[in-house]
Amino acid sequence: TDGPLQEPEAVQVAQTGVDLDGVQSELIIFFSQPDYQLDRISLDQPELLAYLKSRGAPEQLAVPRAIAALDNLGCEVLEVQGLQVYVMCFYLDGVPRDAAGQAMPGKKPMMVATAPAVQPGANAEAPATMMKKPTTLVHLVTIPRDQFVGAPRVGDPVGMSQNGMWSFATWATDEVVYVAASPAEAERFAELAQSLTSS
């Protein structure tokens, strides 16, 4: 009779919630699409925080100083494993600017490719070299702590992980689990992640 009793235990082990693998996969899939669209594009960090909180992000959501110092691109509410997670996007090397120095936050789709050749008859107002080098983004994902399977303990060191070309840093506060992510060079991301411990 012991055999049938094992079944319910196996079912109990399956926890519902978001895990790090799920967050990593969904971020990589979403931001690898050249034509992805963010819910909101703005350089105004308070506006983005207010938007995410209006969509259900934890009230305790706060951007760490090391990331808050970067220019904002925008934000997105993503579905991961059936639950919502809240993503803020930042430029690692500053917001792209036009020849006159005007910020161009809407140019984010060009980060995945070099500028296309100007086709005959196309609008050639923008210089073809403007987005010559890829724009590197840092994403800050916020998940309510009670929805994160295997949440780190408060006070644990920032956990570092890698998934292909992407680097991830994970840590927790009382109510929130944060995951910072970027396809930047691992060394550059590690420098940023180290500063998260002192935020």
Side-chain angles (χ1 to χ4, degrees):
T1 57
D2 287 341
L5 294 177
Q6 298 303 319
E7 297 279 337
E9 288 181 28
V11 171
Q12 284 181 336
V13 171
Q15 298 179 345
T16 57
V18 175
D19 61 27
L20 184 57
D21 287 344
V23 171
Q24 290 180 354
S25 296
E26 289 301 325
L27 270 184
I28 292 170
I29 290 167
F30 182 80
F31 288 104
S32 294
Q33 301 172 68
D35 58 347
Y36 73 85
Q37 296 292 319
L38 294 177
D39 289 342
R40 182 71 54 100
I41 291 179
S42 174
L43 295 173
D44 186 332
Q45 191 174 114
E47 176 189 335
L48 298 177
L49 284 167
Y51 175 80
L52 289 176
K53 289 176 182 180
S54 76
R55 298 290 305 271
E59 280 301 313
Q60 299 82 3
L61 166 58
V63 180
R65 250 176 296 157
I67 295 177
L70 303 174
D71 288 322
N72 290 98
L73 165 59
C75 64
E76 176 73 17
V77 179
L78 276 183
E79 185 172 312
V80 177
Q81 296 166 307
L83 295 171
Q84 288 186 333
V85 302
Y86 306 92
V87 186
M88 292 182 71
C89 308
F90 303 83
Y91 292 104
L92 186 58
D93 298 311
V95 63
R97 296 183 179 275
D98 64 16
Q102 186 70 32
M104 300 180 355
K107 285 291 184 181
K108 55 88 198 156
M110 298 299 291
M111 70 176 212
V112 297
T114 55
V118 177
Q119 300 297 320
N123 182 348
E125 286 180 17
T129 57
M130 190 171 304
M131 297 303 290
K132 185 175 178 182
K133 116 180 153 168
T135 300
T136 303
L137 299 179
V138 174
H139 310 286
L140 179 67
V141 185
T142 305
I143 306 107
R145 185 179 167 79
D146 61 1
Q147 294 178 9
F148 194 93
V149 177
R153 290 175 301 186
V154 177
D156 279 356
V158 174
M160 298 293 295
S161 57
Q162 198 79 20
N163 186 331
M165 298 296 292
W166 284 68
S167 299
F168 296 86
T170 308
W171 71 102
T173 63
D174 287 336
E175 304 293 334
V176 178
V177 171
Y178 293 101
V179 179
S182 181
E185 294 89 348
E187 297 80 9
R188 290 194 68 196
F189 184 77
E191 286 176 22
L192 178 67
Q194 279 182 331
S195 64
L196 296 173
T197 59
S198 59
S199 296

